[in-house]
Amino acid sequence: MSREHEGRTLMQIAKEAAITVVQTMNPNDKVNVIAFSDTVLKPNRCEDTCYKSQLAQATPQNKECLLDFVRLIDYGGRTVYSEALNEAFNLLQASELADSQDREHVILFLTDGQPEDAVDDGLSEGEKKTRRRHDIMNMTKTRNAEIGNRVIILTFGLGNQLDEVLLEAMAQQDGTDFGIPRDSSAGEIKVGRFTKVTNPNDLRVQMASYYNFFTAMVVSDKPIFSVPHQAASGIGLITTVALPILEAGKLKGVVGVDITLQDLLADVTYFHEGQSTYSFIYTKWITQQWLQYTSIISIYLQSYLNYQMMN
């Protein structure tokens, strides 16, 4: 990763891509970042210990902590796949046990080199390559089976010093060519995708496109409330409410508006209740850092919405 491309090292380019991926997460996602060479490095400066043992909710504060970790990554060594993959499965497994929601389980695996996992020194170079492929695919198969084959692996190869055959097999989760046949007895295997990035300048876009892999082509007419966040203008906490614009069932655009939580609270406080209308506030603590704030969602009946539109 110390090789340079147009004045930047591959490590700098990889870090930019990781930052972009983290920034694409929304608060309903859970995320963590692992840096690896011959050892594994995880976030250790964040106050929340969940970073060390499972995935973290992708709130603005948690994402910023992960981004700080990514920016500080600067170390090298041998390229050991198995350590990183094993730790990734540990985090996913721990998070699944702690999470009541049904989520996609995804590993985005980025490397610029062939695996250098430890094998018998007495083997020839060709035999070492075969053994590494076998061991990595066997470990992946075993760990994924532990959580019902729910994990999808998207592999990204940067540059031209790759074992493309292995990265493709990891994404397909098919080690048949290495003596590790597919086994769906623990659940249906979810096939991922291998992306070779020959131009490092394309890495950020290619990795961020992982989101398209999971896009559900279902048009919803329900409004979406963002997580409350500080307005850049300094007016305090705001939430963005977005609603799709549909024509004959087809999505034509999106309309959105920023609403301060102060205004939302005032609407509910001073709203005049009638026989067919009502309002209430639902509050939820977001993080320990935001204990002084609340996420306020005001829910109104259609009659009140119509009233607001007319006035």
Side-chain angles (χ1 to χ4, degrees), residues 22-78:
V22 172
Q23 290 174 333
T24 65
M25 302 290 175
N26 70 66
N28 293 320
D29 297 325
K30 285 191 171 183
V31 62
N32 208 328
V33 180
I34 297 172
F36 74 98
S37 59
D38 48 2
T39 58
V40 169
L41 184 64
K42 296 187 295 182
N44 58 6
R45 298 192 177 193
C46 303
E47 295 181 4
D48 195 336
T49 57
C50 74
Y51 288 101
K52 301 175 183 178
S53 59
Q54 57 183 276
L55 307 183
Q57 204 79 33
T59 61
Q61 291 85 356
N62 288 346
K63 288 198 295 185
E64 191 56 41
C65 184
L66 290 175
L67 295 179
D68 287 342
F69 164 71
V70 172
R71 296 183 185 109
L72 291 172
I73 295 173
D74 185 21
Y75 76 118
R78 293 182 298 113

Side-chain angles (χ1 to χ4, degrees), residues 183-248:
D183 182 5
S184 301
S185 60
E188 181 181 354
I189 295 174
K190 298 185 177 182
V191 176
R193 180 178 63 201
F194 163 54
T195 302
K196 181 180 179 180
V197 184
T198 55
N199 184 351
N201 292 333
D202 296 335
L203 178 62
R204 181 162 55 176
V205 174
Q206 292 287 354
M207 287 200 70
S209 68
Y210 81 92
Y211 203 84
N212 297 333
F213 188 87
F214 301 99
T215 300
M217 298 304 292
V218 178
V219 178
S220 172
D221 60 353
K222 299 292 190 296
I224 296 176
F225 287 75
S226 75
V227 65
H229 54 280
Q230 291 287 352
S233 60
I235 61 175
L237 281 173
I238 63 173
T239 183
T240 301
V241 186
L243 193 67
I245 301 172
L246 305 176
E247 181 179 325

